[in-house]
mmCIF file of all heavy atoms in Angstrom:
data_model
loop_
_atom_site.group_PDB
_atom_site.id
_atom_site.type_symbol
_atom_site.label_atom_id
_atom_site.label_comp_id
_atom_site.label_asym_id
_atom_site.label_seq_id
_atom_site.Cartn_x
_atom_site.Cartn_y
_atom_site.Cartn_z
ATOM 1 N N ARG A 1425 179.654 71.036 133.035
ATOM 2 C CA ARG A 1425 178.860 70.792 131.843
ATOM 3 C C ARG A 1425 178.745 72.059 130.946
ATOM 4 O O ARG A 1425 178.763 71.988 129.754
ATOM 5 C CB ARG A 1425 177.463 70.260 132.112
ATOM 6 C CG ARG A 1425 177.423 68.804 132.610
ATOM 7 C CD ARG A 1425 178.267 67.844 131.747
ATOM 8 N NE ARG A 1425 177.767 67.714 130.362
ATOM 9 C CZ ARG A 1425 176.968 66.688 130.016
ATOM 10 N NH1 ARG A 1425 176.562 65.790 130.893
ATOM 11 N NH2 ARG A 1425 176.581 66.609 128.719
ATOM 12 N N VAL A 1426 178.642 73.198 131.575
ATOM 13 C CA VAL A 1426 178.575 74.448 130.791
ATOM 14 C C VAL A 1426 179.873 74.668 130.047
ATOM 15 O O VAL A 1426 179.937 75.121 128.919
ATOM 16 C CB VAL A 1426 178.205 75.648 131.670
ATOM 17 C CG1 VAL A 1426 178.383 76.947 130.886
ATOM 18 C CG2 VAL A 1426 176.760 75.535 132.165
ATOM 19 N N ARG A 1427 181.012 74.326 130.734
ATOM 20 C CA ARG A 1427 182.342 74.472 130.101
ATOM 21 C C ARG A 1427 182.495 73.421 128.957
ATOM 22 O O ARG A 1427 183.164 73.734 127.934
ATOM 23 C CB ARG A 1427 183.417 74.288 131.156
ATOM 24 C CG ARG A 1427 183.651 75.530 132.016
ATOM 25 C CD ARG A 1427 184.694 75.246 133.074
ATOM 26 N NE ARG A 1427 185.048 76.495 133.829
ATOM 27 C CZ ARG A 1427 185.661 76.464 134.989
ATOM 28 N NH1 ARG A 1427 185.984 75.271 135.557
ATOM 29 N NH2 ARG A 1427 185.956 77.596 135.608
ATOM 30 N N ALA A 1428 181.968 72.241 129.151
ATOM 31 C CA ALA A 1428 182.189 71.130 128.209
ATOM 32 C C ALA A 1428 181.315 71.234 126.957
ATOM 33 O O ALA A 1428 181.745 70.861 125.891
ATOM 34 C CB ALA A 1428 181.920 69.818 128.893
ATOM 35 N N GLU A 1429 180.127 71.813 127.132
ATOM 36 C CA GLU A 1429 179.194 71.860 125.961
ATOM 37 C C GLU A 1429 179.529 73.079 125.120
ATOM 38 O O GLU A 1429 180.122 74.045 125.576
ATOM 39 C CB GLU A 1429 177.765 71.918 126.485
ATOM 40 C CG GLU A 1429 177.299 70.742 127.272
ATOM 41 C CD GLU A 1429 177.186 69.416 126.455
ATOM 42 O OE1 GLU A 1429 177.124 69.498 125.209
ATOM 43 O OE2 GLU A 1429 177.312 68.370 127.096
ATOM 44 N N PRO A 1430 179.112 73.033 123.846
ATOM 45 C CA PRO A 1430 179.346 74.216 122.949
ATOM 46 C C PRO A 1430 178.792 75.495 123.606
ATOM 47 O O PRO A 1430 177.737 75.481 124.246
ATOM 48 C CB PRO A 1430 178.649 73.883 121.691
ATOM 49 C CG PRO A 1430 178.579 72.350 121.685
ATOM 50 C CD PRO A 1430 178.473 71.957 123.088
ATOM 51 N N GLU A 1431 179.502 76.595 123.421
ATOM 52 C CA GLU A 1431 179.066 77.857 124.008
ATOM 53 C C GLU A 1431 177.612 78.212 123.634
ATOM 54 O O GLU A 1431 177.229 78.084 122.472
ATOM 55 C CB GLU A 1431 179.991 78.982 123.563
ATOM 56 C CG GLU A 1431 179.674 80.358 124.200
ATOM 57 C CD GLU A 1431 180.789 81.366 124.034
ATOM 58 O OE1 GLU A 1431 181.956 80.945 123.844
ATOM 59 O OE2 GLU A 1431 180.484 82.590 124.022
ATOM 60 N N GLY A 1432 176.848 78.568 124.615
ATOM 61 C CA GLY A 1432 175.478 78.990 124.380
ATOM 62 C C GLY A 1432 174.454 77.880 124.181
ATOM 63 O O GLY A 1432 173.291 78.145 123.962
ATOM 64 N N SER A 1433 174.942 76.616 124.338
ATOM 65 C CA SER A 1433 174.062 75.473 124.033
ATOM 66 C C SER A 1433 173.307 74.942 125.219
ATOM 67 O O SER A 1433 172.387 74.123 125.059
ATOM 68 C CB SER A 1433 174.888 74.339 123.388
ATOM 69 O OG SER A 1433 175.751 73.780 124.341
ATOM 70 N N VAL A 1434 173.654 75.384 126.426
ATOM 71 C CA VAL A 1434 173.021 74.808 127.617
ATOM 72 C C VAL A 1434 172.081 75.873 128.250
ATOM 73 O O VAL A 1434 172.442 77.038 128.460
ATOM 74 C CB VAL A 1434 174.073 74.387 128.683
ATOM 75 C CG1 VAL A 1434 173.408 73.904 129.959
ATOM 76 C CG2 VAL A 1434 174.968 73.286 128.111
ATOM 77 N N THR A 1435 170.892 75.414 128.535
ATOM 78 C CA THR A 1435 169.879 76.218 129.268
ATOM 79 C C THR A 1435 169.772 75.699 130.726
ATOM 80 O O THR A 1435 169.650 74.488 130.930
ATOM 81 C CB THR A 1435 168.496 76.150 128.598
ATOM 82 O OG1 THR A 1435 168.610 76.642 127.222
ATOM 83 C CG2 THR A 1435 167.450 76.934 129.370
ATOM 84 N N LEU A 1436 169.906 76.620 131.653
ATOM 85 C CA LEU A 1436 169.691 76.246 133.078
ATOM 86 C C LEU A 1436 168.257 76.528 133.447
ATOM 87 O O LEU A 1436 167.810 77.671 133.328
ATOM 88 C CB LEU A 1436 170.651 77.038 133.980
ATOM 89 C CG LEU A 1436 172.178 76.895 133.660
ATOM 90 C CD1 LEU A 1436 173.015 77.704 134.689
ATOM 91 C CD2 LEU A 1436 172.642 75.478 133.624
#
Side-chain angles (χ1 to χ4, degrees):
R1425 287 312 296 263
V1426 169
R1427 284 175 171 163
E1429 298 294 338
E1431 183 166 334
S1433 67
V1434 176
T1435 298
L1436 303 183

